[in-house]
Every structure is written in structure tokens, then in C-alpha cells.
Amino acid sequence: MEAKDIRAECACGQAKLVLSGPPKTVMLCACRDCQKSTGSDHSTLGMWADAQITFIGDSVFYAKEAESGATIARHRCPNCGTPLFGISSRLAGHQLIPLGLLGEQANQFAPKSMIFARSKYEWDHTSDGLAQYTTYRDS
């Protein structure tokens, strides 16, 4: 399904995103870094090309080398702390958008896989039926 001009904003409305067109992929990630960032078993992320994203507002970020070896910069609203987007050194020209930011518009995009499934908790069955990758996808 093709998405056109999806608009999203943080909890306080200071930061806004406009996404033009569908994401390249949608995935769950159960790496320890995503678990700490979300406070949950996994993150649910859409990957959009930089050219598809318009960002309005301010963000602060925390960058660190993840267990995978990639450096991840996680951007949040400086006022309310809402996660806005992530930039990975492994994904040049793309940004990872947490689907929860999209509200009901996220219903258009179903995850296709879970990466870092080796770290998922036994009680989380969200990824049942999805392709599972121990670390990153093969391609």
C-alpha cells in the first residue's frame, strides 16, 4: 500500500515529520539497545530514505556504538522526549522512524521481519510468523 504525505508530531507538537511515500521496509528490532531505548522488548521501525523525510523543529540526540558495531544516533524531542528518528552508520541515506510516532497511520505498514531475534524475550510473541534474523537481515 502506498502512503502519501504522512504527517506525525511529537507529544508536545514542537517536532514534526512529513514522510512522502512508503518506507523501504518495516521491521522489529530486539537488540539490547532498542530494548533500552523503548523500555520494551523491541522497537518497531520503518526505514525511509532521507529524500522522503521533511523534519520541522528541534531534536537532541544520543549517539553510541551498538552491540552490532553500528553507531546509532537516536533523536528525541528536547521538550517532551518523544523518539523521533534514528540514524545508523549502517544505513547511509536512510532514517529509522519509530512507527508509534505515526499513530493510526502506522496501520498501513506491517513489519516483515525481526532483527536481533536472539535478544527477544521468551514472553514476546509479537514476531511470531515473521522472518527472524539472529542479527541483521542477510541482505
Side-chain angles (χ1 to χ4, degrees), residues 101-115:
L101 185 66
L102 306 183
E104 289 188 23
Q105 298 171 99
N107 285 319
Q108 302 175 64
F109 311 113
K112 309 234 183 302
S113 63
M114 174 181 266
I115 61 173

Side-chain angles (χ1 to χ4, degrees), residues 46-118:
M47 183 172 64
W48 273 267
D50 290 345
Q52 293 177 274
I53 301 169
T54 302
F55 177 73
I56 303 157
D58 295 317
S59 72
V60 294
F61 70 92
Y62 175 72
K64 72 171 282 224
E65 185 174 323
E67 179 185 347
S68 67
T71 298
I72 308 292
R74 296 179 191 276
H75 290 251
R76 295 181 177 271
C77 173
N79 296 331
C80 65
T82 299
L84 300 169
F85 58 92
I87 299 173
S88 170
S89 62
R90 250 187 123 249
L91 301 170
H94 292 83
Q95 295 178 36
L96 298 168
I97 309 297
L99 285 196
L101 185 66
L102 306 183
E104 289 188 23
Q105 298 171 99
N107 285 319
Q108 302 175 64
F109 311 113
K112 309 234 183 302
S113 63
M114 174 181 266
I115 61 173
F116 289 89
R118 69 182 184 197

Side-chain angles (χ1 to χ4, degrees), residues 30-38 64-68 74:
C31 76
R32 297 290 184 217
D33 293 297
C34 281
Q35 290 171 352
K36 287 183 181 188
S37 175
T38 63
K64 72 171 282 224
E65 185 174 323
E67 179 185 347
S68 67
R74 296 179 191 276

